[in-house]
Amino acid sequence: MKKPTRKKASAKRTPPAHPAKHASAKHPRSQQNKASVTLDADGKLTFNHAMVYVKDVERGLSFYRDLLGFKLIEDFRYENKPVYARLRAPGGDGTIALHQAGPEVSVLSDGVRLYFEVRELDDFCRNLEKKGFHITQLPRMMPWGWRHAYLNDPDGHEISLYWAGENRMKKTVMKAAQKAARA
């Protein structure tokens, strides 16, 4: 049985600066056992990424990378088949990871929806439709003042494509949102 291999998005490969066997000698034990938490410069917790379990990572890559425009950061392969991939959103620093689910594992994710914001929502959705992708709800103004479209990825994970603009970090005002929806 072959060992999993790691493939980076770029073809350029450089050897690690320090061999792994020497790493423990250079770092105190207390540093090695600390919890893995992403912190910003002020020591506050930040969001790192969402892990999406899929039945076929290659199919997931075709959707997230080729249709939605995510950029491949890295992937891991087993017997030359991707079993894990990490991708960056085309318009920011947000990342997702696609992880191969086992053959008997369900990838249903009731209660979880992925949200991706795009300024030109209507154009983006039209382009997806031109590529043959089905959108379950075309863009429309929602009562909370954000314009949303809904679709599902190839494994059935629910996705909202939306535009909130300046309202994204503001408290929702339903009356103003309803007025905007009627306009």
Side-chain angles (χ1 to χ4, degrees), residues 13-172:
R13 299 197 46 108
T14 56
H18 304 321
K21 66 182 180 181
H22 297 294
S24 62
K26 294 185 179 196
H27 300 289
R29 178 174 283 279
S30 62
Q31 291 292 324
Q32 290 177 6
N33 293 333
K34 283 188 177 178
S36 177
V37 176
T38 302
L39 299 174
D40 70 6
D42 295 330
K44 296 177 184 170
L45 186 71
T46 62
F47 181 77
N48 184 282
H49 72 279
M51 177 81 73
V52 181
Y53 287 88
V54 298
K55 287 295 184 180
D56 183 334
V57 173
E58 191 70 56
R59 182 178 68 180
L61 281 169
S62 293
F63 175 76
Y64 288 98
R65 180 190 57 209
D66 302 339
L67 274 175
L68 297 186
F70 277 71
K71 306 297 181 203
L72 182 65
I73 296 171
E74 65 182 335
D75 71 350
F76 293 90
R77 295 176 174 266
Y78 179 76
E79 295 181 348
N80 208 30
K81 180 181 175 189
V83 294
Y84 173 89
R86 196 162 48 97
L87 304 109
R88 181 180 50 82
D93 293 331
T95 62
I96 60 169
L98 305 177
H99 194 293
Q100 182 73 44
E104 303 298 321
V105 175
S106 171
V107 295
L108 295 178
S109 56
D110 292 341
V112 175
R113 180 183 296 149
L114 300 174
Y115 285 78
F116 302 114
E117 190 169 19
V118 57
R119 179 182 298 272
E120 301 300 329
L121 178 61
D122 292 85
D123 290 342
F124 194 86
C125 290
R126 272 192 291 279
N127 287 335
L128 286 177
E129 287 183 313
K130 285 178 185 174
K131 293 176 182 178
F133 203 83
H134 175 68
I135 297 176
T136 58
Q137 177 190 294
L138 291 172
R140 72 175 198 205
M141 181 60 75
M142 303 306 283
W144 50 90
W146 297 10
R147 195 161 166 70
H148 279 262
Y150 294 100
L151 56 125
N152 295 311
D153 80 359
D155 285 288
H157 300 106
E158 193 173 22
I159 293 174
S160 175
L161 301 175
Y162 74 97
W163 176 248
E166 64 184 33
N167 294 329
R168 184 169 174 262
M169 294 302 193
K170 292 181 180 177
K171 184 177 178 181
T172 302

